[in-house]
Amino acid sequence: MNNHTDLDQLADAELQRLHRQLRSLQLELRSLLDNKTKQLKKQNQIITVLQLEHQALKCEINTLERGVHAKRNSLKGNYLINLQQQFIEIQRLSQTERTSLWELEGHIKKIEKEIDVLRKLEVPDSCYKDTIHKVQKSVVKLENRLDVVNKKCSDVLTENSKLRHSIDHMLQDRANFNEMWQSMVTQFNDGKKYIMELIDQSTLAYDQREELYNKLQVLKDRNENDKIMHIQEMREMQRRLEHDAKLQKFYDIKCKKRLNLEMEHREMDKKLAKKEAFEKQLNEYNEIIDKMKKLYEEPDTSHLIAQFRRQEDENFALFNYVNELSHEVEVLNDVTQELNDEIERQQAELLEKELKQKTEALDYLTEELQNAEISNNEAKHKLDSLDTRLQLLLSGIGDIFKELSGEDAPILNVLSFNTLLTAHNVKLFIGVIERRTNMCISNINIEEDLSNKILAKKDRIPKFNVKDNVKQRY
């Protein structure tokens, strides 16, 4: 009640002061109006006098236009122009004074209206304290909600850090697997290269064997032909040797002396015939030797014999060389067969090793894939739970933003059409909420300070939150 009486006293004092100011302004206005009316009357009289003088001057100008007083007339014309300009200036000043008087009347009416509004809008202290208490409760609620939201955000950040750690571990496992796989691929390529080298060596050995086999076959054919010719020559020589032996035996038998003359004559005839035959054969041989000399262009028979023997030695050497080559070919065939068996055995071992390594790698990869799928499913489940929690947080932040009357916030103009709360723009909304809460707290503190200061003064009426309190009241 004491506060109410103090407020009434302050309002009455302010009202009396305004009444005094109004009276003084009204008196000043009346004095100004009187002065202006007097000035207007004087000016009208001056205007009428000037108009009469103007008419008289016109008459004089008409009469004295071409007379001796032309210079005087020009001076009077200038004087009249100056008077007319002074009249226009006086009219302008009177118009400005009228507008200023009209503005003063408007200000006076406005002040009277404000005084009436102040008389009507009187608010008790109980309503003011209730509003302050409500605002403090709402601030406490918002602070509690903000604390809960911060805790949830910290939980989400810890979960995210754990997920990042697990993802880094999985990436490290993947890098280790890639290194193992690369080493296995390099080993496989080295084995493949070694196999290709063995195949190339085997093909080269096979080609050499085929070439040597063809040469050996040619030499065998040549040896067979030489052998057949040699056998034929040996048979011919054996036949001649047998023939000579028979002849020798026959000659030995026939060399015995017989007593029969006829037989002797026959024998002599036979000897002569044989001698002639030998001579004839000798001549034939000589002719053959001469032909051979002509053919080989060698006059000496000893050289021909030496050449024949040398040719026989060469043939015998070739025969021995062919035998050696056939033996070497057989040895090479045995070696190539052994190499082929060794290559087949090594290929089988390599295939077994590759199959074993591939099966082990596949087992390891399948196990790793199963583990990765399990961890992926767990991560997806955690991600879904985090998404739900994030949506709950976003909905809570949106409710707080709406409760703080954020529909007309400037952030909505920044977001244009996409005014939905998402994980990308949540920081903007949280910043707006924080600023609004800080503004509410600062406004409450400022209002408390102002109320204390204004209530301490006795010569002023408190003007803070009067309209807002009346609106809340009604």
Side-chain angles (χ1 to χ4, degrees):
M1 292 299 290
N2 292 322
N3 292 325
H4 187 66
T5 54
D6 292 333
L7 290 171
D8 291 334
Q9 290 176 1
L10 291 171
D12 292 332
E14 187 69 23
L15 184 62
Q16 289 175 4
R17 187 177 64 79
L18 291 172
H19 276 299
R20 286 194 297 272
Q21 189 176 0
L22 179 62
R23 288 194 194 95
S24 64
L25 289 171
Q26 286 177 355
L27 292 171
E28 289 177 359
L29 180 62
R30 287 175 185 175
S31 63
L32 285 171
L33 289 172
D34 293 334
N35 291 323
K36 292 296 178 182
T37 51
K38 289 178 181 180
Q39 287 178 1
L40 286 171
K41 286 179 181 180
K42 289 179 180 180
Q43 288 174 0
N44 289 323
Q45 290 176 1
I46 292 166
I47 288 165
T48 54
V49 171
L50 289 172
Q51 286 177 356
L52 293 172
E53 289 179 356
H54 181 65
Q55 290 177 0
L57 287 169
K58 278 185 178 181
C59 292
E60 289 179 0
I61 286 165
N62 290 324
T63 56
L64 300 172
E65 189 174 5
R66 294 179 182 178
V68 182
H69 302 285
K71 187 175 181 180
R72 189 183 296 172
N73 291 329
S74 63
L75 292 171
K76 287 181 179 180
N78 293 324
Y79 178 70
L80 288 172
I81 290 166
N82 291 324
L83 289 174
Q84 190 175 3
Q85 289 178 355
Q86 288 177 2
F87 177 72
I88 292 166
E89 185 69 23
I90 289 165
Q91 283 184 349
R92 187 178 62 78
L93 291 171
S94 64
Q95 188 67 31
T96 54
E97 290 294 331
R98 286 175 185 174
T99 54
S100 64
L101 289 171
W102 180 73
E103 287 177 356
L104 286 171
E105 288 178 356
H107 283 297
I108 290 164
K109 289 179 181 179
K110 187 176 180 181
I111 289 165
E112 288 177 353
K113 287 180 181 179
E114 287 180 356
I115 290 165
D116 294 331
V117 170
L118 288 171
R119 285 176 180 175
K120 291 178 181 179
L121 299 175
E122 289 182 357
V123 180
D125 292 335
S126 61
C127 184
Y128 177 70
K129 289 180 180 179
D130 291 333
T131 55
I132 291 170
H133 187 65
K134 288 179 182 179
V135 171
Q136 287 177 353
K137 282 184 178 180
S138 63
V139 169
V140 170
K141 287 181 181 179
L142 290 172
E143 287 178 352
N144 292 327
R145 288 181 182 177
L146 185 62
D147 191 11
V148 172
V149 170
N150 287 325
K151 288 180 180 179
K152 289 181 179 179
C153 287
S154 63
D155 294 333
V156 170
L157 290 173
T158 53
E159 290 292 331
N160 287 329
S161 65
K162 289 179 182 179
L163 288 172
R164 287 194 188 95
H165 183 68
S166 62
I167 288 165
D168 293 333
H169 184 67
M170 291 171 73
L171 289 172
Q172 187 66 32
D173 292 336
R174 183 183 177 186
N176 293 326
F177 170 72
N178 288 326
E179 289 178 358
M180 292 174 66
W181 177 258
Q182 192 66 33
S183 64
M184 290 172 70
V185 168
T186 52
Q187 289 178 2
F188 175 73
N189 291 325
D190 293 335
K192 195 173 181 181
K193 191 184 290 183
Y194 180 68
I195 290 167
M196 293 300 293
E197 289 177 356
L198 288 175
I199 290 167
D200 292 333
Q201 290 177 3
S202 63
T203 52
L204 183 62
Y206 181 76
D207 293 334
Q208 290 177 357
R209 185 180 72 83
E210 287 292 327
E211 186 177 358
L212 292 172
Y213 181 74
N214 292 324
K215 288 181 180 180
L216 182 62
Q217 194 68 31
V218 171
L219 291 173
K220 281 183 179 180
D221 294 335
R222 190 183 294 173
N223 189 15
E224 191 69 27
N225 294 325
D226 292 336
K227 186 178 179 181
I228 291 166
M229 290 176 69
H230 181 70
I231 290 167
Q232 289 178 358
E233 288 178 356
M234 290 296 290
R235 285 177 181 175
E236 184 67 26
M237 291 175 72
Q238 187 69 27
R239 187 177 62 77
R240 287 182 181 180
L241 184 61
E242 289 177 355
H243 180 68
D244 291 336
K246 286 180 181 180
L247 286 174
Q248 186 66 34
K249 187 177 180 181
F250 179 74
Y251 289 152
D252 290 337
I253 293 168
K254 293 295 182 179
C255 283
K256 291 179 180 180
K257 292 181 179 181
R258 293 180 180 179
L259 296 175
N260 195 356
L261 295 173
E262 291 180 358
M263 291 296 290
E264 288 180 357
H265 287 295
R266 289 178 184 174
E267 191 67 30
M268 289 295 291
D269 292 332
K270 286 181 181 180
K271 286 181 178 179
L272 289 172
K274 189 181 284 186
K275 187 177 180 181
E276 289 176 356
F278 276 119
E279 288 178 355
K280 188 177 180 180
Q281 191 175 5
L282 182 61
N283 292 324
E284 288 178 358
Y285 286 157
N286 289 323
E287 289 177 359
I288 290 167
I289 289 167
D290 292 333
K291 288 180 181 180
M292 289 175 69
K293 287 179 180 180
K294 289 179 181 179
L295 181 64
Y296 289 102
E297 294 179 356
E298 186 66 35
D300 194 0
T301 55
S302 61
H303 289 291
L304 285 173
I305 293 165
Q307 188 176 0
F308 178 74
R309 287 177 179 175
R310 188 170 59 252
Q311 189 69 34
E312 287 293 327
D313 293 333
E314 287 178 359
N315 291 329
F316 186 72
L318 286 172
F319 179 73
N320 292 326
Y321 178 68
V322 168
N323 289 327
E324 289 176 358
L325 286 176
S326 62
H327 180 68
E328 289 178 358
V329 167
E330 289 177 357
V331 172
L332 287 172
N333 286 325
D334 295 333
V335 171
T336 52
Q337 187 65 32
E338 290 177 357
L339 288 172
N340 288 323
D341 295 335
E342 185 67 23
I343 288 165
E344 290 176 356
R345 186 178 63 78
Q346 288 181 0
Q347 286 178 354
E349 289 178 355
L350 286 172
L351 288 172
E352 288 178 358
K353 287 181 180 179
E354 287 178 358
L355 289 172
K356 188 176 180 181
Q357 289 176 357
K358 286 180 180 179
T359 52
E360 289 177 356
L362 285 172
D363 294 334
Y364 177 74
L365 289 172
T366 51
E367 187 177 356
E368 290 293 327
L369 181 62
Q370 290 175 359
N371 294 325
E373 287 178 353
I374 292 165
S375 60
N376 190 10
N377 292 323
E378 291 177 355
K380 283 182 180 178
H381 183 67
K382 289 181 181 179
L383 183 62
D384 293 333
S385 63
L386 289 173
D387 287 333
T388 53
R389 291 176 68 182
L390 182 62
Q391 292 298 325
L392 291 172
L393 286 172
L394 292 175
S395 63
I397 292 166
D399 295 334
I400 293 168
F401 184 75
K402 289 178 181 178
E403 287 179 1
L404 289 173
S405 66
E407 288 81 3
D408 56 349
I411 191 65
L412 299 177
N413 295 324
V414 175
L415 296 173
S416 66
F417 296 103
N418 190 9
T419 58
L420 295 174
L421 183 62
T422 60
H424 300 288
N425 57 9
V426 68
K427 290 184 179 180
L428 298 174
F429 285 90
I430 290 169
V432 172
I433 291 166
E434 186 177 0
R435 285 195 295 274
R436 289 291 175 88
T437 52
N438 291 326
M439 286 172 66
C440 290
I441 293 165
S442 62
N443 287 327
I444 290 165
N445 293 325
I446 290 165
E447 287 173 359
E448 287 178 355
D449 295 334
L450 287 173
S451 63
N452 293 324
K453 289 179 182 179
I454 291 167
L455 291 172
K457 294 179 181 180
K458 295 182 179 180
D459 57 347
R460 292 189 65 184
I461 297 170
K463 295 182 180 181
F464 57 90
N465 290 333
V466 175
K467 295 181 181 180
D468 295 334
N469 291 325
V470 171
K471 288 180 182 179
Q472 290 177 2
R473 185 176 178 182
Y474 291 102

